[in-house]
Amino acid sequence: MSCRLVCCTRGYNEILNKLKVVCYKMESPYFKRTTRSSIIVKVKVENEQLIPEESSTETNQKVSTKKRQKRPKVEIKYEESPFEEHQITKQESSGWEPPMWREQLKNIYDMRKFRNAAVDSMGCDVISDALASPEVYRYQVLLSLMLSSQTKDQITSAAMKKLREHGCSIDNILETSDQVLGELIYPVGFWKKKIEYIKRTSKILQEEYNGDIPDTVEKLCKLPGVGPKMAYLAMKSAWNQIVGIGVDTHVHRISNRLRWVKKPTKQPEDTRKELQDWLPREYWRDINHLLVGFGQQTCLPVGPKCYECLNKEICPVGKTNKKIPSPKKIKKEEVKEEME
């Protein structure tokens, strides 16, 4: 935002050179947005002698009568840039938003600062071969997403490792028998059905997409075994395009627990629409990765660790879940997580 000073008294334009304007931006520590209400403008007069000098006689007369000359009034006007107008309009058009989401999100970032959850080392972009050709890499990202459905990251990572050692390209997968393919991906969830999906999808990619994967969500969702969550994550990891939020069971669960939806949602796709309606786009790239790791480590499906969560006082679930497990049970859970 820029501000300009206009002198209302004619003949005192030189006053502008005597004024110092200091603007202070009041910003959130992580969500940067500037509006007119978040600007404080202070005007400091550096030289008290603002009016033209007069004769000594006239000056003495004024001192004796203790009459003070009125200073010229200075009016401060604001001029908003098109960028700020766009931001303000965007915020107003978003309508509803959760009242505490900024504080809750900041706390989740703090809890995830070490990025040491399973998703951080076994996500679809990590377990795919970044040194392969772009087409093969994108194909592996898609396959890893297909395998990850109803499957823990550790099992998906192990399956992808075996596939890469076997040769994870469209041509090689199509030449692989169903029996061998099943042995490679077992024990991912619904592995028998996924054999069919992988073969059918690979055939489509070979015949219709010249050995590559589709570059739109709509086309990706038409592939066998590919849903919206996989499509949005594939667009991010394979094509480096952020066109939506990938919502899996972790994002769906946490969004409902934090009341990041207007009313409870039953399906991840409904949660995605709710999130995209109010969450600023600058967070779309990281929100899935962030919440998945948070769900794996703290906000567990069963027995969430509310006692160690930074949001326990501003989370509807955390406020009611005051029970702290015994040290023996906590140790048992930590050992179980390490084994998994």
Side-chain angles (χ1 to χ4, degrees):
M1 177 180 292
S2 61
C3 62
R4 55 188 177 90
L5 302 175
V6 180
C7 287
C8 299
T9 304
R10 182 179 298 179
Y12 292 103
N13 289 332
E14 64 272 13
I15 294 177
L16 297 179
N17 297 325
K18 305 290 185 179
L19 299 178
K20 182 179 180 182
V21 179
V22 185
C23 298
Y24 298 89
K25 287 187 178 181
M26 310 296 291
E27 297 179 342
S28 169
Y30 66 99
F31 180 53
K32 296 182 179 179
R33 184 180 60 191
T34 304
T35 62
R36 176 182 293 192
S37 61
S38 63
I39 295 290
I40 299 175
V41 178
K42 295 183 179 179
V43 178
K44 177 181 178 183
V45 179
E46 292 186 328
N47 191 339
E48 295 295 335
Q49 191 67 26
L50 293 177
I51 59 175
E53 294 183 357
E54 301 176 357
S55 64
S56 59
T57 304
E58 293 177 350
T59 303
N60 293 334
Q61 290 177 353
K62 288 183 180 181
V63 172
S64 62
T65 58
K66 296 185 179 180
K67 291 183 179 180
R68 301 181 64 182
Q69 178 83 24
K70 288 186 177 181
R71 307 289 184 186
K73 295 182 179 180
V74 177
E75 178 185 359
I76 298 179
K77 293 185 178 181
Y78 295 88
E79 294 179 342
E80 293 178 347
S81 66
F83 174 74
E84 288 173 326
E85 290 175 356
H86 169 72
Q87 283 197 328
I88 294 171
T89 302
K90 180 180 178 182
Q91 187 65 21
E92 291 176 348
S93 64
S94 65
W96 178 88
E97 66 177 30
M100 300 292 290
W101 75 269
R102 291 179 178 85
E103 293 80 359
Q104 293 166 339
L105 183 61
K106 182 179 183 299
N107 287 337
I108 295 175
Y109 269 110
D110 289 342
M111 289 182 281
R112 289 276 286 122
K113 61 184 177 181
F114 296 113
R115 299 289 171 140
N116 54 1
V119 68
D120 298 309
S121 57
M122 302 176 191
C124 65
D125 53 339
V126 179
I127 60 179
S128 301
D129 187 5
L131 299 180
S133 64
E135 296 82 3
V136 172
Y137 173 76
R138 288 191 285 264
Y139 175 67
Q140 292 183 7
V141 168
L142 181 61
L143 246 59
S144 66
L145 289 168
M146 295 173 69
L147 293 174
S148 68
S149 177
Q150 302 295 314
T151 307
K152 289 186 176 181
D153 287 340
Q154 293 86 342
I155 297 176
T156 302
S157 178
M160 279 302 299
K161 181 180 179 181
K162 290 187 288 185
L163 284 174
R164 287 174 55 182
E165 291 173 351
H166 173 74
C168 193
S169 64
I170 291 178
D171 293 338
N172 202 35
I173 292 300
L174 288 174
E175 293 174 358
T176 303
S177 66
D178 291 359
Q179 180 179 350
V180 173
L181 184 57
E183 294 172 354
L184 292 172
I185 68 173
Y186 180 85
V188 299
F190 305 100
W191 62 276
K192 291 183 180 180
K193 194 66 177 177
K194 288 177 181 178
I195 293 174
E196 177 189 348
Y197 288 154
I198 290 173
K199 282 296 188 72
R200 288 171 56 195
T201 292
S202 299
K203 189 66 174 177
I204 293 172
L205 299 181
Q206 184 187 60
E207 295 178 349
E208 299 182 18
Y209 294 97
N210 196 28
D212 209 336
I213 71 172
D215 58 358
T216 66
V217 170
E218 292 74 18
K219 292 178 181 178
L220 284 165
C221 286
K222 292 180 180 179
L223 298 173
V226 178
K229 178 207 78 171
M230 301 178 197
Y232 286 110
L233 292 178
M235 290 299 297
K236 183 190 79 168
S237 298
W239 291 107
N240 195 31
Q241 294 182 22
I242 308 301
V243 295
I245 300 173
V247 176
D248 65 352
T249 180
H250 293 289
V251 179
H252 174 63
R253 178 180 71 256
I254 294 168
S255 296
N256 276 271
R257 285 180 175 175
L258 291 174
R259 304 293 191 267
W260 283 6
V261 290
K262 293 180 184 178
K263 57 183 180 180
T265 54
K266 295 183 178 181
Q267 300 298 326
E269 184 63 7
D270 296 330
T271 302
R272 178 188 67 81
K273 294 175 182 177
E274 290 270 355
L275 288 177
Q276 290 183 189
D277 185 57
W278 65 265
L279 185 67
R281 289 186 69 96
E282 61 191 271
Y283 298 108
W284 287 17
R285 175 180 291 275
D286 197 39
I287 194 66
N288 174 272
H289 204 85
L290 185 76
L291 295 186
V292 169
F294 178 58
Q296 290 175 337
Q297 294 182 311
T298 306
C299 197
L300 307 177
V302 180
K305 301 178 181 180
C306 299
Y307 58 90
E308 66 179 30
C309 180
L310 297 179
N311 284 325
K312 59 187 176 184
E313 299 299 332
I314 56 176
C315 169
V317 175
K319 288 180 179 180
T320 59
N321 187 15
K322 300 292 185 179
K323 185 178 180 180
I324 301 177
S326 63
K328 185 177 180 181
K329 186 175 181 180
I330 294 176
K331 183 66 177 179
K332 185 177 179 180
E333 290 178 353
E334 291 175 350
V335 172
K336 183 179 178 181
E337 288 178 4
E338 291 177 359
M339 291 179 64
E340 292 179 346

